[in-house]
């Protein structure tokens, strides 16, 4: 990879220790992907925020970086943390201290503490999105896939360190062109696919490709919820950073029919029912909160139902009255955090969780150690709210 | 063809998997073990090994897990992957774990065999 003199200086520590660390990541990542050069980015979105996932080692790394003078050079937002900063969850002091330390390190670096995994959604309404085709650096996999596939932006599927390096340098490696012959096509052969089916399709397709997967048979019918579900499922199972839609001649062709859908569902849905309901992963946006409120109507959930959403979406739902409606239906609305990898769902309290998210199912089962009852949102509302 | 991503030289026993690894979801960073019961390395310790596997998958935060393995003293001595993914690459870059790309995943040496990885020579040979 060709580096400018400035970039060489940074790599060799002549711009400080923090910048040297950032360039070590940029160069290793660039070399590995076969990039010819680094290019500017106008927005970085970081992962590596939740104390549950990065722990003391990660917290110390970030504190050291902040102390070494790490400061972001481009607009930088970040993923959810472990809990809602405005609610009292009764979490252990040790967790809260660890989490606050992480937030404080990012704040010191100049990061906008957005605590959301749907940056594309909350910034679309505030007109803060970069121009179409602009280069960004998103670590959150569902957001990267969304940005590349439907958001009109371009990003590598950055790692947590890659996005941090991009934030600190304002640059990311420019990926070489993709060989069109290496893009497989997955044909959706499930009739009247639900939002969950799209999540399972993403989970299946994500493991089938390496960078882009073409999806055939999805185009017109896919609503926003299904699209988010597809992006999150795809980000969970593989290394893909983008999907395209439509018919395509080149590349391998694979069917995703009833049988493949059922196999994916069986591998993720491990319980027949849940002791509680968790909706999110990705966080719900304002539109989804409104549609959930409409779906529930005057009914009430018969067990604990936690709805994870972005702070901005929650504020919009407070203003519209949807938040009040959802609370009347028994929903607990939480911002700043999300369904996967939150300490708020623990095997100490529940054996199993009902969710509509493939990504939540994957991490609840593997990281939180609880059983998962995976169902489409409409079925959850019908079965659990009376 | 072999390529160096993070330079270095290290010795360890080859621990080979045919399955991708989700570092965030399937690895215990404190103990340095694979916790996913569906994985072919389930229960195996990574410490001091030459970990050869196709590539990392899943969350971008997996990079922190790679770093945490090193910080907790339970990291592999080196990694060999068939293809590069951002989390393993950046995690190894920050942690200083030698990383080589090798489509054949150390062909010619046995599982469990003590070997030396040398990224300058691009070799994995019995120690």
């Amino acid at each position: 990879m060709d580096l400018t003199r400035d970039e060489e200086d940074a790599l060799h520590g002549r711009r400080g220790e923090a910048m040297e660390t950032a360039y070590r990541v940029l160069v290793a990542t660039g070399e590995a992907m076969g990039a010819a050069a680094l290019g500017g980015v106008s927005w970085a979105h970081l992962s590596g925020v939740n104390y549950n996932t990065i722990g003391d080692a990660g917290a110390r790394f970030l504190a050291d970086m902040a102390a070494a003078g790490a400061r972001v050079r481009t607009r930088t937002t970040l993923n959810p943390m472990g809990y809602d900063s405005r609610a009292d969850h009764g979490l252990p002091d040790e967790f809260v201290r660890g989490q606050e330390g992480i937030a404080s390190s990012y704040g010191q670096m100049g990061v906008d503490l957005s605590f959301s995994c749907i940056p594309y959604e909350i910034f679309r309404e505030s007109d803060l999105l970069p121009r179409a085709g602009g280069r960004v650096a998103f670590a959150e996999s569902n957001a990267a896939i969304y940005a590349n596939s439907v958001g009109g932006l371009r990003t590598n599927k950055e790692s947590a360190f890659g996005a941090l390096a991009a934030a600190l340098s304002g640059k990311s490696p420019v990926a070489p062109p993709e060989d069109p012959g290496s893009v497989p096509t997955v044909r959706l052969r499930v009739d009247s696919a639900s939002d969950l089916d799209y999540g399972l399709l993403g989970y299946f397709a994500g493991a089938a490709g390496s960078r882009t997967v073409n999806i055939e048979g999805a185009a017109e019918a896919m609503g926003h919820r299904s699209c988010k579900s597809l992006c999150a499922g795809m980000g969970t199972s593989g290394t893909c950073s983008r999907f395209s839609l439509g018919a395509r001649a080149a590349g391998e062709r694979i069917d995703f029919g009833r049988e493949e859908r059922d196999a994916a569902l069986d591998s993720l849905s491990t319980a027949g029912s849940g002791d509680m309901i968790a909706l999110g992963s990705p966080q719900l946006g304002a539109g989804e909160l409104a549609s959930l409120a409409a779906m529930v109507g005057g009914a009430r959930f018969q067990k604990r139902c936690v709805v994870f959403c972005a702070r901005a979406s929650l504020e919009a739902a407070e203003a519209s009255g949807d938040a009040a409606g959802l609370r009347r239906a028994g929903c607990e609305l939480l911002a700043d955090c999300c369904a996967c990898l939150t300490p708020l769902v623990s095997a100490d309290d529940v054996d199993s969780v009902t969710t509509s998210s493939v990504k939540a199912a994957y991490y609840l089962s593997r990281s939180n150690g609880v059983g998962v009852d995976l169902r489409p949102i409409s079925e959850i509302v019908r079965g659990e709210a009376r | 063809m072999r390529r160096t991503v993070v330079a270095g030289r290290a010795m360890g026993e080859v621990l080979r998997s045919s399955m991708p690894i989700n570092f965030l979801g399937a690895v215990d960073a404190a103990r340095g073990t694979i916790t996913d019961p569906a994985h072919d390395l389930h229960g195996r310790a990574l410490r001091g090994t030459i970990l050869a596997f196709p590539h990392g998958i899943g969350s971008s935060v997996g990079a922190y897990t790679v770093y945490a393995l090193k910080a907790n003293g339970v990291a592999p001595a080196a990694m060999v992957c068939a293809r590069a993914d951002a989390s393993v690459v950046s995690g190894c870059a920050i942690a200083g774990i030698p990383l080589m790309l090798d489509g054949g995943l150390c062909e010619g040496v046995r599982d469990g065999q003590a070997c030396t990885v040398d990224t300058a020579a691009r070799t994995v040979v019995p120690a």
Side-chain angles (χ1 to χ4, degrees), chain A residues 21 24-25 28-29 31-34 47-48 53-54 57-58 60-62 106 139-141 157-162 164 209-210 235-239 341 362-363 366-367, chain B residues 3-6 22 24-26 35-38 55-65 67-68 71-72 83-91 93-96 101:
Chain A
T21 304
R24 217 160 64 222
V25 171
T29 310
E31 293 290 350
M33 68 165 69
S47 64
T53 62
I54 71 168
R60 265 196 307 273
F61 169 79
L62 291 169
Y106 280 128
E140 167 54 39
S141 59
K157 191 187 178 194
E158 300 286 0
S159 72
F161 290 139
L164 181 61
S210 60
T236 304
S237 62
T239 58
L341 301 153
Y362 183 93
Y363 287 105
R366 283 166 179 74
S367 296
Chain B
R3 278 172 58 199
T4 297
V5 178
V6 179
N22 185 326
L24 181 61
T35 54
D36 182 355
H55 55 88
I57 54 167
S59 170
S60 58
V61 188
Y64 272 94
T65 308
Y67 172 77
N72 295 335
R83 72 172 149 92
D85 76 279
S87 285
V88 170
V89 169
S90 64
I94 294 262
L101 299 185

Side-chain angles (χ1 to χ4, degrees), chain A residues 203 267 362 365-367, chain B residues 19-28 33-44 57:
Chain A
Y203 189 71
S267 73
Y362 183 93
S365 159
R366 283 166 179 74
S367 296
Chain B
M19 297 171 75
I21 297 177
N22 185 326
F23 277 87
L24 181 61
V27 174
D28 182 330
T33 53
I34 305 263
T35 54
D36 182 355
H39 202 276
D40 63 3
L41 296 183
H42 179 225
R44 301 292 293 273
I57 54 167

